[in-house]
Amino acid sequence: MESFDELVVQYQPMIHKIIQTLHIYKNQNEFYQTGLIALWEASLSFDEKKGSFTNYAYIYMKGKMLSQLTQNNQHREKLTYPEEEFWETIDSQELPQILEKETIQTYCEGLTEKEIKWVVASSIDQLSIKEIAEKEKVSPSAVKQWRSGAKRKLKEKIANHH
């Protein structure tokens, strides 16, 4: 078989034709590179006993480009953001609460998971100690310990910032 450079010169029109046939109009250079890589792989794996290299190269390159199209589409679907209607369905009260919760959680750095539960439940959800205890299936005295630890740590944090 000829050198790879000779193959590139000979099969370059075929690569462009496959790109055109697959209606690829975005990232044509990327697909051209995929075609070159596929041509190289095809030249390495070709068995002369099984037919002509031209047919093999065409099928191999087209298959690689189709696989890349599929991968690109799957990747793009994962990155797609919801339509405007989705954002309109969110209750207008929820968004400020979500932002408020995120803001409060930034102050909770250094608190235990249970102390954070008390901070969020008491400040955002406006739950009493008894309600938090019922929700978390613990005793009210356990929730009071969470509160005590959280208040102590938050006071220390505030004192250190002044």
Side-chain angles (χ1 to χ4, degrees):
M1 195 173 276
E2 319 99 75
S3 75
F4 184 67
D5 290 336
E6 292 171 334
L7 282 177
V8 170
V9 171
Q10 184 179 347
Y11 287 92
Q12 194 171 4
M14 183 184 283
I15 294 171
H16 289 293
K17 182 66 177 172
I18 294 170
I19 290 171
Q20 184 183 2
T21 304
L22 294 176
H23 303 289
I24 297 169
Y25 57 94
K26 289 183 181 177
N27 307 326
Q28 286 185 343
N29 288 339
E30 182 182 331
F31 282 93
Y32 178 76
Q33 293 299 319
T34 300
L36 288 176
I37 293 168
L39 179 63
W40 180 71
E41 290 173 353
S43 71
L44 296 177
S45 62
F46 176 64
D47 183 359
E48 291 180 20
K49 298 172 199 152
K50 295 190 176 179
S52 80
F53 179 73
T54 302
N55 290 343
Y56 182 73
Y58 180 84
I59 291 168
Y60 200 94
M61 289 186 292
K62 188 172 182 179
K64 282 286 188 181
M65 288 186 208
L66 284 169
S67 294
Q68 186 177 344
L69 275 172
T70 302
Q71 283 179 332
N72 289 1
N73 286 338
Q74 288 171 345
H75 182 71
R76 192 170 32 255
E77 285 173 10
K78 287 178 185 174
L79 295 178
T80 302
Y81 298 100
E83 296 292 326
E84 184 99 17
E85 297 86 42
F86 169 80
W87 297 108
E88 291 171 1
T89 62
I90 293 180
D91 182 11
S92 60
Q93 299 301 313
E94 278 182 43
L95 193 56
Q97 188 175 11
I98 290 168
L99 295 175
E100 182 182 3
K101 185 175 183 177
E102 286 180 10
T103 303
I104 286 175
Q105 285 180 327
T106 61
Y107 291 99
C108 292
E109 197 172 299
L111 272 59
T112 68
E113 187 179 327
K114 292 175 181 176
E115 291 167 345
I116 293 171
K117 282 183 183 180
W118 173 79
V119 170
V120 171
S122 63
S123 61
I124 294 177
D125 302 331
Q126 303 289 306
L127 299 179
S128 67
I129 289 176
K130 184 179 175 186
E131 291 169 325
I132 296 170
E134 288 171 3
K135 178 183 174 195
E136 296 297 325
K137 297 179 177 59
V138 295
S139 69
S141 63
V143 177
K144 288 178 183 176
Q145 288 178 340
W146 301 352
R147 176 185 67 184
S148 157
K151 282 183 170 183
R152 180 178 43 77
K153 290 176 185 175
L154 289 171
K155 283 179 184 175
E156 287 173 11
K157 189 181 271 196
I158 290 170
N160 292 336
H161 277 80
H162 291 291

